[in-house]
Amino acid sequence: MSKHARLARAGAALLATSLVVVGCGSGGDEPQGGTTGEPVSAEWQAVIDAAKEEGHVTWYSVAPAGVREALKQGFEEKYGITVEIRTISTTEMNAALEAEHDTGADGADVVTSVGYGWIQEKAAAGWFVDLSNVPSLQAPEWTASGYLVDDLYITAPLGLLVLAWNTTLFDGEINTYDDLLDPKLAGGVIGTVRPEPSLHADHWAFIEENFNENWLTEFAKQDPAIYPSAFANQEALAAGEIAVSAFVSATDILALQEQGAPLDFRVPSPVWAAQNVFFVPESSHRKNAALLFIDYFASEEGQRAAAKYGYSPLESVAPETLGGQSEVVLTNLERALDPNWHADYLAAWRELYE
């Protein structure tokens, strides 16, 4: 299956309805532009001017720290609009957004979330601002790829899962998931995460589909160390509790490397990526600034900042990204959001690993 076909399948799993943009009319026949370098239409210039008057964007985000800081810095320098980042858990984020929607309280203007089920429900209920007039999102790489879903939100492949190792404990290379089946790596040498939540289970299933159909059984023979979270797993790798990890994000490994951790990694092909979903809630008090922020994110400039250690659909940017040389497979949301699939997969996993 082609990359675009996979993306279209993943995007189609998120249901949405069309909304009316507040503060941005129809595109008409005027040339569009924002951060694209093309002429800016009068309508979009009005959005830019209004955004600068608003002067502020509050961004609820679970995006990797490097992505957050790069976008904040670039957007503030370009437009002089302050970006306030609030990093909260998905559960807390959903509760806050619901309260803001119901009460009209000031809160999020832009959201980056991995709460896929919640996103399904609220998109269908009309909670998101239409993005169809955002200039940078009119590029065919966005409109035809499946990354932009029904003009309501962007499924950005920023969270690449890579194969990593502690260089003080392991002096080789791990290039594919099959390399983890080497008998020399048995007995707790490798660490990974439990297939809970279902997002993690989808990563296990991804390995079976793309590398080894007997992975669940074969990997159990390695007696890996199983951690309850990605954070615990990567901390164990940095601390030398394990030598190799099958579940770490590239951005986290790079951050640990900058702190002096003796780590190295490889990006497999295909590589699994969890979508970071970007949208503007209807409850936003600064919709113009929010739309301008989305435009910046989707532009070449914004993608060079945000997708450096992930992947970008823009052909001009993709080769510069960490995932640019690999096939990128997004989370299969259809099965990840199916409680029956997850229950069955978890039961099969427990028979082998517990």
Side-chain angles (χ1 to χ4, degrees):
M1 182 179 293
S2 70
K3 182 187 295 180
H4 284 180
R6 291 178 184 276
L7 297 174
R9 181 188 65 183
L14 292 174
L15 305 178
T17 57
S18 295
L19 308 178
V20 177
V21 174
V22 176
C24 186
S26 63
D29 295 325
E30 296 183 68
Q32 293 293 304
T35 54
T36 62
E38 299 176 0
V40 178
S41 72
E43 287 176 316
W44 187 250
Q45 186 60 54
V47 173
I48 296 173
D49 294 342
K52 290 181 177 180
E53 286 292 324
E54 292 168 348
H56 176 83
V57 165
T58 298
W59 181 19
Y60 290 2
S61 182
V62 298
V67 173
R68 298 195 304 265
E69 294 307 317
L71 284 174
K72 172 182 168 66
Q73 179 179 345
F75 184 74
E76 288 181 342
E77 289 179 354
K78 189 173 186 69
Y79 292 107
I81 298 172
T82 302
V83 178
E84 178 189 353
I85 302 173
R86 297 184 188 176
T87 55
I88 55 179
S89 71
T90 300
T91 300
E92 292 172 323
M93 183 186 296
N94 292 350
L97 290 169
E98 289 176 11
E100 291 158 18
H101 177 272
D102 293 343
T103 66
D106 193 4
D109 301 305
V110 176
V111 178
T112 305
S113 174
V114 293
Y116 306 123
W118 187 93
I119 290 168
Q120 270 194 349
E121 176 187 342
K122 301 309 179 186
W127 281 36
F128 302 158
V129 172
D130 180 21
L131 305 177
S132 61
N133 285 337
V134 173
S136 293
L137 285 175
Q138 294 179 18
E141 294 103 324
W142 289 113
T143 58
S145 66
Y147 284 112
L148 175 62
V149 182
D150 292 338
D151 291 325
L152 287 174
Y153 42 86
I154 305 165
T155 57
L158 303 178
L160 294 185
L161 265 290
V162 297
L163 296 160
W165 58 92
N166 187 307
T167 57
T168 63
L169 301 176
F170 181 73
D171 61 1
E173 292 185 2
I174 304 293
N175 294 298
T176 83
Y177 288 93
D178 284 332
D179 292 342
L180 299 178
L181 302 180
D182 187 330
K184 292 184 293 186
L185 299 178
V189 174
I190 307 168
T192 190
V193 299
R194 295 176 58 85
E196 298 170 313
S198 60
L199 189 69
H200 293 176
D202 185 72
H203 180 255
W204 285 77
F206 153 81
I207 299 172
E208 293 178 273
E209 290 177 347
N210 291 277
F211 292 91
N212 189 320
E213 63 181 7
N214 296 316
W215 171 260
L216 205 64
T217 300
E218 295 299 317
F219 191 54
K221 297 174 184 176
Q222 296 292 74
D223 189 25
I226 307 294
Y227 292 90
S229 69
F231 178 79
N233 177 65
Q234 74 186 31
E235 288 297 301
L237 182 66
E241 293 178 18
I242 53 176
V244 179
S245 176
F247 192 100
V248 286
S249 77
T251 53
D252 288 339
I253 290 297
L254 288 162
L256 289 168
Q257 284 180 334
E258 290 180 358
Q259 297 168 21
L263 303 176
D264 201 355
F265 70 95
R266 293 291 182 273
V267 180
S269 185
V271 59
W272 184 88
Q275 296 97 309
N276 284 249
V277 180
F278 285 68
F279 61 88
V280 175
E282 274 288 358
S283 55
S284 166
H285 285 211
R286 291 162 290 273
K287 290 185 175 68
N288 295 288
L291 290 170
L292 189 59
F293 184 87
I294 290 291
D295 182 65
Y296 178 76
F297 167 73
S299 71
E300 288 188 13
E301 183 179 345
Q303 285 291 287
R304 284 194 168 92
K308 183 177 181 181
Y309 301 120
Y311 178 77
S312 173
L314 298 183
E315 294 180 0
S316 58
V317 178
E320 304 171 24
T321 66
L322 193 61
Q325 302 305 313
S326 299
E327 178 188 2
V328 178
V329 178
L330 296 184
T331 311
N332 185 323
L333 298 179
E334 185 174 358
R335 70 182 175 203
L337 293 172
D338 182 348
N340 293 324
W341 175 84
H342 185 225
D344 291 343
Y345 195 92
L346 192 57
W349 183 89
R350 284 171 173 162
E351 286 186 6
L352 294 167
Y353 289 84
E354 292 184 343

